[in-house]
Amino acid sequence: MNYQLKCAVWETTLACNMHCSHCGSSAGKARSDELTTEECYELCEQLAELGCETVALMGGEPFVRDDWYSIARCVKDLGMGLSIVSNGLVLPNHIEELEELEPKVIGMSLDGLKQTHDSIRRPGSFAKVMESLELLTSRDIQTTLITTVSRLNFHELPEMKDRILKSGANWQIQVAVPFGNFRREQMITPEEYYSIGMFIAAQRLKNRFMDLPVIGAHCFGYFSKVLPGSQGWKGCTAGISSIGITSNGGIVGCLAMGNDRYIEGNVRDEKLRNIWNDPNRFIYNRGFSVDDLGENCARCKFGEKCMGGCASMSLNISGHLHNDPYCFRSLEKKL
């Protein structure tokens, strides 16, 4: 079977100007062997050769790399869509360059109201996100605010909604999972997870004639009766239509699975097309069968389509793939 690569999420550096309590990468210090600028150019060319549609540059913090603009420019010049995910701290310093690049979207982290966000990330970071948001929206650059939900900020979602929707930004809500810096005891409960899904659904139901830009990330849905869009879930895309790239050239299905696990190869050792086209890579998804479903999913009639939900949620909570215990459909049946 031929697989078409649609999206590459690229950890351009592990260096970061923050040390966030939920960071799955435990970012902060650059890897000692990160790809050089020339190696990044070559990787961009290989992505384009595969027909990759969108490249998302992230970190760590992508703006920490001195050559971030050159890499982003290379992505654009090769005809691929560009998106960037940032913590917003130094983004105002680069607003003119971003406007010139015309990215598809800029994603910025917003993890609560001022006190909570600053406690999770660093003092003063909330004000910088707000400044960055105003600069981006004033230049008509599509912006998505990304909230990673834990017990630290769960209660602030309603008030955050009022502020975010007035800004004109999109809002993506995702769940913090226990790997990297994040501690398991800070994870939301299944009941809280369900209530977040209801919160997302309510933004649509209250506005039948306007599709408000509030979405759940890949950790929400799975054939729910009420959550918008969940009927279209086709399973984890890792190694099917998307890849993650570590800053030292490692190729993974998804960085959120734990970016030093499930390494399928390295672009320093072989061409990306050889890694992508090898039928024996990404086998956990490409070779999936219903027999691989874990105990949480084995008896579900949607198991073959769903593949057991989000790989990151499944792996980091249950310890196994294809076994996501935070399944919206199963919670609907219990609650």
Side-chain angles (χ1 to χ4, degrees):
M1 182 175 180
N2 293 324
Y3 296 92
Q4 177 57 51
L5 178 60
K6 294 183 177 180
C7 178
V9 180
W10 186 352
E11 171 207 88
T12 55
T13 181
L14 202 57
C16 191
N17 46 19
M18 293 189 184
H19 187 71
C20 304
S21 62
H22 62 245
C23 180
S25 301
S26 299
K29 185 178 180 181
R31 300 176 193 267
S32 61
D33 57 346
E34 295 189 337
L35 297 178
T36 65
T37 304
E38 290 300 321
E39 287 175 321
C40 289
Y41 292 159
E42 184 177 349
L43 178 53
C44 288
E45 291 175 355
Q46 293 184 44
L47 286 165
E49 287 173 4
L50 277 174
C52 183
E53 296 174 7
T54 301
V55 178
L57 304 182
M58 58 178 293
E61 170 56 37
F63 294 130
V64 170
R65 274 194 74 128
D66 292 336
D67 59 358
W68 76 267
Y69 176 82
S70 298
I71 298 169
R73 183 72 266 169
C74 186
V75 170
K76 290 283 292 187
D77 288 347
L78 288 167
M80 295 178 286
L82 170 70
S83 61
I84 299 174
V85 181
S86 170
N87 59 35
L89 191 63
V90 297
L91 188 149
N93 300 339
H94 305 292
I95 191 64
E96 301 299 333
E97 294 161 300
L98 289 172
E99 187 173 22
E100 185 270 327
L101 283 166
E102 297 182 326
K104 292 176 68 173
V105 64
I106 299 293
M108 286 195 303
S109 302
L110 182 66
D111 291 315
L113 302 175
K114 183 179 184 298
Q115 183 176 351
T116 301
H117 179 91
D118 284 0
S119 67
I120 290 173
R121 292 183 169 270
R122 58 177 281 181
S125 59
F126 180 88
K128 278 296 182 181
V129 171
M130 293 298 103
E131 178 186 352
S132 298
L133 176 59
E134 183 175 352
L135 287 169
L136 290 166
T137 54
S138 69
R139 286 164 170 77
D140 293 323
I141 298 174
Q142 182 175 206
T143 306
T144 296
L145 295 173
I146 305 168
T147 299
T148 303
V149 182
S150 69
R151 292 189 177 184
L152 300 175
N153 58 10
F154 167 77
H155 59 288
E156 295 184 348
L157 293 179
E159 189 171 349
M160 290 177 68
K161 181 203 74 172
D162 294 336
R163 295 192 179 195
I164 290 171
L165 295 184
K166 289 177 182 177
S167 74
N170 304 315
W171 191 17
Q172 176 177 303
I173 300 173
Q174 61 193 32
V175 176
V177 293
F179 73 103
N181 293 345
F182 189 65
R183 302 197 305 272
R184 183 174 289 268
E185 58 267 26
Q186 292 180 336
M187 186 173 180
I188 58 172
T189 66
E191 291 76 17
E192 289 167 337
Y193 170 81
Y194 183 81
S195 70
I196 296 171
M198 292 293 93
F199 173 80
I200 294 169
Q203 311 320 310
R204 317 274 185 168
L205 297 173
K206 290 177 181 177
N207 295 270
R208 294 176 57 196
F209 305 105
M210 182 175 69
D211 188 20
L212 285 177
V214 181
I215 62 170
H218 48 267
C219 47
F220 282 96
Y222 320 144
F223 303 96
S224 160
K225 294 179 181 179
V226 296
L227 200 61
S230 67
Q231 298 297 321
W233 171 258
K234 297 179 181 178
C236 174
T237 64
I240 302 296
S241 61
S242 63
I243 57 169
I245 306 169
T246 67
S247 60
N248 58 356
I251 302 299
V252 297
C254 174
L255 291 170
M257 291 167 64
N259 59 6
D260 285 323
R261 293 189 288 182
Y262 294 91
I263 299 287
E264 303 291 341
N266 193 293
V267 294
R268 281 180 168 144
D269 302 324
E270 55 186 322
K271 295 291 186 181
L272 178 60
R273 65 173 174 269
N274 294 340
I275 299 173
W276 179 256
N277 291 328
D278 186 343
N280 296 313
R281 315 282 177 114
F282 313 101
I283 199 67
Y284 53 88
N285 272 349
R286 293 184 178 183
F288 168 80
S289 76
V290 292
D291 294 334
D292 297 323
L293 293 170
E295 61 180 356
N296 295 315
C297 306
R299 289 172 293 279
C300 179
K301 67 179 181 179
F302 294 105
E304 186 173 5
K305 290 183 179 180
C306 180
M307 296 170 59
C310 169
S312 176
M313 292 282 284
S314 180
L315 181 64
N316 291 297
I317 299 173
S318 76
H320 302 282
L321 291 167
H322 314 298
N323 191 46
D324 187 352
Y326 278 52
C327 167
F328 212 80
R329 178 178 173 80
S330 66
L331 290 169
E332 285 176 351
K333 294 167 67 175
K334 294 176 184 177
L335 297 177

